Amino acid sequence: MFPDVRLRRLRKGKIRNLVRETTLSVDALVQPIFVNENIYSPVEIPSMPGIYNIPLSEVANEAKEIANLGIPAVILFGVPAFKDAKGSSSYGEKDIVQEAVRRIKAELGDKLVVITDVCMCEYTNHGHCGIVDLEKKEILNDPTLEVLGKIAVSHAKAGADIVAPSCMMDGMVGAIRQALDLSGFENIPIMSYAAKYHSCFYGPFREAAESGYSFGDRSTYQMDPANSNEALREVTLDVAEGADIIIVKPALPYLDIIYRVKTDYGMPTAAYNVSGEYAMIKAAAANGWLDEKKAIYESLISIKRAGADIIITYFAKDAARMLK
Ligand code: PBG
């Protein structure tokens, strides 16, 4: 073999580009937006430099900037003014996410895909992702499904293009599919957070979305980071219930899961490059310990290489500028 085979021959100059196996395109990116009912001007999130909570009055402008960068989609998270135990402000016609969707759609129509996160944690005063038995301190699966259906339908009515349930309740995809279909939204896709791990990397998000919890943690519904076969069981169920796109979350510590999901199912697969993954790169770059742009590119290309078709990332705008 050696010296006949020399792999270095293809690593130089433009030849390197010619044999590149994976490419990163702006078409794969989804930018998250936090829209907050309690503020009148954008407020930077301390643990996520460069990412802002924005008021409703700014949401259309922000969406326009994102669309102008060529990014095809946003995912919306709402921070409501009112929270209660039942998450009542999550499904009203005039609630924060519904209003935000309407404003973005009025401004941009089909120029931007609007995905909405369907969960209760930003809307409940206990901060959990579902209906809770406060005495037993238990998160109740089946009563939550009904609320999820209402949230999804309210988002679709406001004009959302895709709904993305993230609460890890059993049966969430089926319940939402049924609710959407009964309301005439049989053509609205469901992008399911199928394999969502109980991860410390959501920390900065909880600060951003004011969704920290008052008791316990999310380990009774989110997955154990030690498991991988279980992720496939989750995906099997969600596909059977009618999920159109599968999300694996977080991304970088779970590249093996992205790979297995994509390889085994061939479903449109998204990876969520979460808040903590963003914060780590920002913090290291701020200290001069990492080259920020290179770290962003290497992270995103690795997520693609693992098999993700879509990447939800707080770096979407930065990456879009870099790819221009
Ligand atoms: C809501 C939700 C969370 C994230 C997305 N949707 C937080 C959580 O489950 O605690 C995390 C996103 C991120 O960290 O960037 N359930």
Side-chain angles (χ1 to χ4, degrees):
M1 267 223 271
F2 186 79
D4 293 350
V5 179
R6 290 178 183 274
L7 292 178
R8 290 181 58 190
R9 285 180 197 129
L10 301 183
R11 290 193 187 136
K12 52 183 194 267
K14 290 280 182 216
I15 299 179
R16 192 179 175 83
N17 298 2
L18 215 48
V19 298
R20 183 161 294 132
E21 297 175 35
T22 310
T23 50
L24 181 64
S25 154
V26 70
D27 289 329
L29 304 178
V30 178
Q31 175 75 50
I33 296 181
F34 296 104
V35 51
N36 189 320
E37 214 168 14
N38 304 302
I39 57 177
Y40 296 96
S41 54
V43 179
E44 193 170 27
I45 299 152
S47 53
M48 300 177 75
I51 302 293
Y52 292 78
N53 256 291
I54 60 171
L56 204 48
S57 58
E58 288 289 327
V59 82
N61 274 341
E62 174 68 15
K64 207 157 79 180
E65 190 190 328
I66 292 166
N68 284 339
L69 284 164
I71 297 167
V74 293
I75 183 163
L76 290 182
F77 296 95
V79 184
F82 175 75
K83 301 192 188 211
D84 64 12
K86 292 180 174 166
S88 313
S89 55
S90 60
Y91 48 77
E93 193 187 328
K94 297 245 157 70
D95 284 333
I96 182 73
V97 166
Q98 292 79 356
E99 288 284 2
V101 171
R102 241 176 264 120
R103 284 179 188 228
I104 295 172
K105 282 291 159 187
E107 180 77 30
L108 293 164
D110 289 340
K111 292 195 193 96
L112 188 70
V113 176
V114 176
I115 306 168
T116 53
D117 189 81
V118 174
C119 192
M120 292 177 65
C121 65
E122 299 107 282
Y123 306 90
T124 53
N125 51 13
H126 46 72
H128 278 291
C129 301
I131 297 288
V132 160
D133 180 329
L134 285 167
E135 267 167 38
K136 290 196 192 142
K137 304 232 181 299
E138 219 174 87
I139 291 77
L140 304 174
N141 196 87
D142 299 10
T144 302
L145 299 180
E146 200 181 314
V147 185
L148 295 175
K150 284 205 267 187
I151 300 175
V153 168
S154 73
H155 290 176
K157 273 190 185 149
D161 297 294
I162 300 178
V163 294
S166 67
C167 62
M168 288 298 281
M169 294 297 124
D170 289 325
M172 68 180 187
V173 173
I176 289 174
R177 186 70 274 157
Q178 191 178 24
L180 287 172
D181 290 2
L182 284 172
S183 298
F185 293 112
E186 60 277 349
N187 289 321
I188 297 292
I190 299 175
M191 181 172 182
S192 176
Y193 291 77
K196 177 171 175 179
Y197 285 85
H198 183 239
S199 171
C200 74
F201 292 104
Y202 307 150
F205 172 96
R206 291 184 189 149
E207 180 182 354
E210 299 168 20
S211 68
Y213 30 76
S214 58
F215 66 88
D217 60 23
R218 300 206 208 291
S219 62
T220 66
Y221 41 107
Q222 297 180 345
M223 284 182 54
D224 182 346
N227 293 355
S228 127
N229 290 325
E230 188 190 354
L232 300 190
R233 296 185 72 197
E234 280 285 1
V235 175
T236 304
L237 289 171
D238 283 12
V239 171
E241 289 171 30
D244 299 280
I245 301 172
I246 297 298
I247 307 179
V248 175
K249 177 182 174 192
L252 288 176
Y254 298 87
L255 293 180
D256 58 323
I257 309 299
I258 297 171
Y259 180 77
R260 282 189 80 183
V261 166
K262 184 64 196 181
T263 309
D264 283 19
Y265 289 87
M267 289 287 291
T269 304
Y272 200 136
N273 179 223
V274 301
S275 57
E277 298 175 63
Y278 177 87
M280 285 195 293
I281 289 182
K282 282 287 176 183
N287 277 295
W289 297 338
L290 275 180
D291 179 317
E292 181 172 339
K293 286 192 173 147
K294 288 182 179 160
I296 294 172
Y297 173 76
E298 192 173 329
S299 299
L300 299 180
I301 201 76
S302 298
I303 295 167
K304 282 233 86 185
R305 193 195 61 237
D309 305 294
I310 301 168
I311 309 175
I312 305 167
T313 177
Y314 301 95
F315 289 121
K317 287 203 283 183
D318 293 331
R321 287 188 197 103
M322 281 159 51
L323 291 167
K324 276 213 161 160

